[in-house]
Amino acid sequence: MSESNRPTTIQDKLMADVKLIVADAEALLHATADQAEEKVTDLRARLQANLKAAQDRLAEAETTLMDATAETFRAAVVASALATSEAANKASEAAGEAAQKAEEAVQKAAEFGKDAAKHAAEAARDAARKAAAAARETAVKALDAVGKMAREAKDLIN
C-alpha cells in the first residue's frame, strides 16, 4: 500500500485483512476449478457461498462505518458551532455590561469631579478585565467541548 492508502484504524485494518482473505479465497476457487473430486466440489460450493456472504457483510460494514463516521462528524460540527455561539453571546453580554458600567462611572465622574473621574476609570478598567476574563473562560469551555466531541468522534471511529 502507498503512504496515503495505509490503513489507519483498527476497522480499516480489519477491512483490509478481510478483503485479502476474500481475494485469496477467490484465487483458490479459480485454482481448483478443474478438480472434480466430490470433497473438493463440496468444499468449493461451501466456500463460494461463504465467500459471497462475507463479501455482502463486508460491504454492509463499510457502509455502516462510513455512515457512523459522517454522523459523528456532523454532531461534532454542530456542538462546536453551539459552543462557539454560546461563547460569543457571553462575551458580548460581558462587554455590554462593562460598557454600561463605564458609562455609569463617567456620569458619576461628571457629577463628582476629578476624584470621581479617577474612580470611574478604575471601575471601567475593572469591568473590562472582568469582561475579558469571562470571554476567556467561555472560549476555553467552548474549546474543551469541541475537543471532547473530537475525542468522542475519534473513539467512535476507532
Side-chain angles (χ1 to χ4, degrees), residues 16 24 38 48 64 68-69 86 92 98 118 121-122 134 141 150 155:
D24 289 346
E38 185 177 334
Q48 282 176 325
T64 301
T69 300
E86 181 183 333
S92 176
K118 184 177 178 182
E122 290 173 1
K141 287 180 182 177
D155 290 344

Side-chain angles (χ1 to χ4, degrees), residues 5 29 37 45 53 59 94 121 130-131 143 147:
N5 294 334
L29 284 173
E37 293 178 23
K130 287 180 181 177
L143 286 174

Side-chain angles (χ1 to χ4, degrees), residues 115-126:
D115 288 336
K118 184 177 178 182
H119 175 70
E122 290 173 1
R125 282 192 294 272
D126 184 51

Side-chain angles (χ1 to χ4, degrees), residues 74-88:
R74 279 190 290 275
V77 168
V78 168
S80 174
L82 290 175
T84 302
S85 176
E86 181 183 333

Side-chain angles (χ1 to χ4, degrees), residues 93-103 105 119-134:
E93 199 174 285
E97 289 174 9
Q100 179 66 31
K101 285 183 179 183
E103 184 178 330
H119 175 70
E122 290 173 1
R125 282 192 294 272
D126 184 51
R129 278 189 218 107
K130 287 180 181 177

